[in-house]
Amino acid sequence: MSTIEFKQISKVYADHTAVAPFDLTIADGEFLVLVGPSGCGKTTTLRMLSGLEMPSSGQIFIDGKEITHVEPKDRDIAMVFQNYALYPHMTVYENMAYALKLRKVDKKTIQTTVNKTAAMLDLQKLLDRYPRQLSGGQQQRVALGRAIVRKPKVFLMDEPLSNLDAKLRVQTRTELIQLHNRLNATIVYVTHDQIEAMTMGTRIVLMKDGIIQQIGTPMELYRKPTNRFVAGFIGMPPMQFLSGSIKKEADFIIFQGENCRLKLRGECQSSGDVYLGIRPENLKLSSKNQSSIIKGTVTVIENIGSEVIVHLTVGHEQLVAKIPAATEPPLQGDSVTVLPDEAPIHIFDKATEKTIARLYIAP
Amino acid sequence: MKKYLHYLLLIVLAVIILAPFLYALVVSFESAEETLAFPPVLLPAHLATDSYSKALATAPLLSFIVNSFVVSLLVTAGQIITCSLAAYAFAFLKFPCKKILFILFLSTMMIPAESIIIPNYFTVRSLDWLNSYQGLSIPFMASAFGTFLLRQYFQTLPKEIYEAARMDGCGRLRFFLTMVLPLSKPALATLAVYAFLTTYNQYMWPLLITSSDNMRTVQIGLAMLQWDQGISWNTTMAGIVIVSLPTILLLILGQKQLVKGLTAGSTKG
């Protein structure tokens, strides 16, 4: 049982705020992903939890016990580093056994634990090798093994997959999910890759410029982004935006932008300048609807087999549509009309960029 | 073709660098007449070895070699210990005024050794260390250069290793002993060879603080050969060959580590 609690934790350097004060509770067994662009404060947050960095204010609790100023080694947490940080002059076995040795665990227990962990990670044949004799993927597994043997209360992972090639990254991603299920451990994971966040996290904390933008399950962030930044960060390709204005017309709301007019239904109190957000997967090539239209010119076609990604210019803005490969794709330079499907369309205030409404296309 | 030119150039340079020593070796096997002949004799008619026995008889060279070895080993060990500890602090610990202290440390390298030799002499004399191993070795047991060299090397060790070790429960001293030192073997070897050779070649300081033959070191022994025998070149050269042999042997043994240590870190900022 390991819960983590941040209370008004912040980190301020001489000239800038790396992490603005925030509260966060992480439940036992959760796989929490801290995600955001570089410099957003996610790694600093992780390092404050590890004890390698001291917070400027606030408190951190693990299982209700305050550990804000406790030495890293006494926090009972293990960390997997981006570059693995294996000890170069020790064999795989020694690397994994090191922490246990320092804890004065008896030799026999160390041996059983290391061997068991090595078997779990398929490392048995590599135990006598040195880190420099291993491939990137193997080194990564050793780094994981070194954390697992300690049976820590919390695992911290700082972009552990970013040094792997694309194929191995996808494979290791699933392995990590399985590992989490098996160990049932609390994991705090830092990444800048939204796909890792979406696939692995039971909950995501999305950060930007040291400020938490949204906390929620992957689907909450995908379906109900609280602002334009979250909307544009999650999704592959991410949500697309058109600027324009909305006004009420009878029971409907009309969005008017450059080369674009949409008749929408739903609840919306405000009117005026807004951003309209649509996910590429919710756009289809069509001209059937009389009351709504988005007119664009095709600039790039990316056929990835299962689907086709169509890049369009709508007035002065860019739009991306993801259409099934079965549909006959348009050609570069074609003028096309696209329309949103029944999925929600997100409306963001132009000034604050906060979500103000979720509307639907009117028939 | 380019490769041959390359080698040719290297051979020429090697000959130029080795020539004085090779000439000394040749002269040491010549007779007294041959050394004075003009043009110089480059190959002696027969190998005369009496210059060696004469050199050993004139100055107690073997006991001087022992003295030099003892002093050099003491200084080397001392420098390895003090420099690695100081470098560890400068590379890994956070403390106030670290930068200024380090610059202050480095600036001591700019002070010419000659300018402090007299005050050092008085210090050593007041401690009653004249004519002793401690007088010969302790003043050299710390070195700004050595600290600088090791600090630069320590800084190339990934910071994450330090952090990983800290999280694994490794304290500062244990990290120093079980991580930093084993990972810095090339740099430590470089410092060891450098410290040893510098001490072995010392002349001024041993000359100043030793007056009895049983505490003198090799470089003084060589000078004694010149004073006592006027210009008996073959004897002097024999002496030079004798005292050079141990250091040449050491260089051959430590060469690989030395080159590694001097070039390591050069590719990393």
Side-chain angles (χ1 to χ4, degrees):
Chain A
M1 289 294 280
S2 333
T3 56
I4 303 163
E5 211 183 335
F6 292 93
K7 271 191 185 160
Q8 288 301 302
I9 279 292
S10 76
K11 180 75 189 180
V12 182
Y13 292 107
D15 49 345
H16 79 292
T17 304
V19 179
F22 71 94
D23 291 316
L24 175 67
T25 307
I26 304 170
D28 181 43
E30 217 178 336
F31 195 130
L32 185 97
V33 180
L34 294 166
V35 68
S38 12
C40 72
K42 54 190 191 297
T43 299
T44 310
T45 305
L46 189 81
R47 289 171 62 85
M48 287 193 285
L49 177 55
S50 72
L52 294 171
E53 203 91 56
M54 281 296 140
S56 309
S57 74
Q59 296 164 292
I60 306 175
F61 298 85
I62 293 182
D63 288 342
K65 211 178 110 212
E66 192 187 340
I67 50 118
T68 320
H69 298 287
V70 172
E71 272 291 299
K73 65 180 167 76
D74 302 323
R75 294 184 178 206
D76 200 6
I77 47 189
M79 186 149 162
V80 179
F81 291 83
Q82 182 174 355
N83 63 2
Y84 317 136
L86 300 177
Y87 309 129
H89 59 305
M90 295 186 189
T91 62
V92 169
Y93 181 89
E94 288 165 343
N95 261 286
M96 287 168 74
Y98 188 69
L100 298 181
K101 225 166 87 185
L102 293 191
R103 279 175 173 66
K104 305 213 159 48
V105 178
D106 67 280
K107 259 196 170 146
K108 211 154 181 196
T109 319
I110 294 182
Q111 208 167 4
T112 350
T113 320
V114 172
N115 284 333
K116 217 171 100 188
T117 313
M120 185 157 83
L121 296 166
D122 201 14
L123 288 170
Q124 299 109 308
K125 284 183 189 156
L126 306 174
L127 285 174
D128 293 328
R129 298 231 197 136
Y130 286 93
R132 61 175 179 276
Q133 299 167 312
L134 304 178
S135 70
Q138 290 167 337
Q139 290 186 18
Q140 209 270 342
R141 292 212 301 277
V142 177
L144 269 177
R146 193 170 66 178
I148 293 170
V149 288
R150 287 180 46 189
K151 297 198 180 78
K153 282 184 178 166
V154 185
F155 285 92
L156 307 183
M157 302 191 185
D158 188 5
E159 309 218 15
L161 305 186
S162 55
N163 285 7
L164 301 177
D165 64 59
K167 198 177 159 199
L168 202 54
R169 199 178 310 160
V170 175
Q171 187 192 329
T172 315
R173 213 162 66 197
T174 30
E175 281 172 10
L176 272 180
I177 298 171
Q178 288 167 341
L179 196 70
H180 174 240
N181 293 339
R182 196 155 13 143
L183 297 173
N184 216 356
T186 311
I187 298 180
V188 182
Y189 186 102
V190 162
T191 179
H192 60 264
D193 182 351
Q194 61 96 13
I195 297 216
E196 280 176 27
M198 290 293 283
T199 51
M200 299 165 81
T202 52
R203 223 155 41 115
I204 296 175
V205 175
L206 180 52
M207 298 179 79
K208 182 199 171 198
D209 299 335
I211 297 165
I212 292 183
Q213 304 291 313
Q214 189 168 358
I215 304 174
T217 64
M219 282 327 276
E220 272 167 12
L221 264 69
Y222 178 83
R223 286 192 184 130
K224 293 177 179 170
T226 53
N227 60 37
R228 189 181 159 199
F229 178 78
V230 177
F233 195 87
I234 302 289
M236 186 72 202
M239 191 183 282
Q240 303 294 308
F241 304 98
L242 293 171
S243 49
S245 61
I246 49 169
K247 62 169 192 274
K248 259 200 153 111
E249 231 171 63
D251 284 343
F252 298 100
I253 291 150
I254 304 296
F255 172 85
Q256 181 68 54
E258 205 180 353
N259 288 347
C260 159
R261 182 190 147 89
L262 295 172
K263 189 175 164 191
L264 307 165
R265 62 184 170 79
E267 280 295 308
C268 182
Q269 301 307 320
S270 32
S271 59
D273 286 347
V274 294
Y275 288 110
L276 175 128
I278 316 168
R279 295 209 175 270
E281 49 271 38
N282 298 132
L283 276 174
K284 53 184 196 236
L285 296 171
S286 152
S287 52
K288 275 178 210 156
N289 195 316
Q290 299 301 313
S291 47
S292 295
I293 191 165
I294 302 175
K295 272 198 286 194
T297 313
V298 178
T299 51
V300 177
I301 300 276
E302 292 177 305
N303 197 331
I304 52 173
S306 56
E307 53 222 348
V308 181
I309 295 168
V310 184
H311 294 253
L312 306 163
T313 317
V314 177
H316 288 89
E317 286 168 310
Q318 303 295 320
L319 204 59
V320 176
K322 194 151 96 176
I323 57 173
T327 340
E328 184 66 28
L331 298 173
Q332 197 180 327
D334 279 0
S335 289
V336 293
T337 56
V338 288
L339 274 182
D341 60 15
E342 289 71 34
I345 291 163
H346 306 262
I347 306 290
F348 306 94
D349 185 274
K350 190 140 198 172
T352 64
E353 302 204 340
K354 287 213 164 74
T355 308
I356 46 178
R358 268 175 269 280
L359 306 173
Y360 299 87
I361 191 93
Chain B
M1 192 60 202
K2 210 175 161 188
K3 206 169 142 194
Y4 290 116
L5 276 175
H6 206 102
Y7 276 110
L8 193 73
L9 185 74
L10 286 177
I11 289 167
V12 170
L13 287 175
V15 168
I16 291 174
I17 289 166
L18 285 175
F21 185 75
L22 291 176
Y23 186 62
L25 190 69
V26 169
V27 171
S28 73
F29 286 111
E30 286 177 1
S31 63
E33 293 79 43
E34 280 172 318
T35 62
L36 296 172
F38 188 85
V41 182
L42 289 179
L43 271 178
H46 61 97
L47 286 181
T49 50
D50 57 332
S51 56
Y52 282 87
S53 39
K54 225 194 246 167
L56 290 172
T58 313
L61 279 184
L62 290 182
S63 79
F64 285 1
I65 288 178
V66 170
N67 283 343
S68 276
F69 253 84
V70 170
V71 173
S72 301
L73 285 175
L74 283 173
V75 169
T76 305
Q79 283 201 11
I80 292 279
I81 294 168
T82 60
C83 292
S84 62
L85 282 167
Y88 178 70
F90 281 125
F92 285 99
L93 306 186
K94 278 185 197 161
F95 53 89
C97 306
K98 180 163 132 175
K99 258 196 181 149
I100 296 173
L101 272 175
F102 186 63
I103 292 169
L104 216 64
F105 222 85
L106 285 189
S107 64
T108 62
M109 279 164 68
M110 313 298 163
I111 302 170
E114 289 75 13
S115 68
I116 50 168
I117 206 163
I118 303 297
N120 277 352
Y121 174 80
F122 283 116
T123 312
V124 165
R125 196 184 61 176
S126 69
L127 290 169
D128 213 6
W129 283 357
L130 296 179
N131 276 315
S132 71
Y133 283 137
Q134 57 267 41
L136 283 166
S137 56
I138 287 176
F140 303 98
M141 281 195 177
S143 138
F145 169 75
T147 308
F148 175 69
L149 180 86
L150 292 184
R151 172 198 178 251
Q152 296 308 99
Y153 191 85
F154 290 174
Q155 280 186 334
T156 65
L157 301 174
K159 160 176 130 272
E160 285 83 359
I161 290 188
Y162 178 56
E163 296 181 337
R166 263 181 83 187
M167 300 205 66
D168 272 349
C170 187
R172 292 196 197 287
L173 185 65
R174 194 193 297 271
F175 179 70
F176 174 68
L177 294 174
T178 65
M179 300 277 172
V180 175
L181 291 186
L183 288 173
S184 305
K185 274 186 207 149
L188 293 171
T190 308
L191 178 62
V193 173
Y194 178 82
F196 189 92
L197 290 183
T198 325
T199 317
Y200 196 80
N201 290 333
Q202 266 185 351
Y203 177 69
M204 204 50 180
W205 181 253
L207 182 68
L208 198 65
I209 73 155
T210 58
S211 51
S212 77
D213 269 359
N214 51 19
M215 267 300 148
R216 296 219 134 153
T217 56
V218 283
Q219 304 302 330
I220 299 170
L222 289 183
M224 280 165 72
L225 291 178
Q226 291 179 41
W227 293 337
D228 285 15
Q229 294 294 313
I231 316 172
S232 172
W233 285 113
N234 55 349
T235 315
T236 308
M237 293 306 170
I240 287 173
V241 171
I242 293 171
V243 305
S244 303
L245 277 179
T247 47
I248 290 172
L249 274 176
L250 196 76
L251 191 71
I252 291 170
L253 292 176
Q255 187 198 27
K256 212 171 154 188
Q257 295 282 1
L258 187 72
V259 173
K260 230 187 193 171
L262 285 177
T263 52
S266 56
T267 52
K268 258 185 177 176

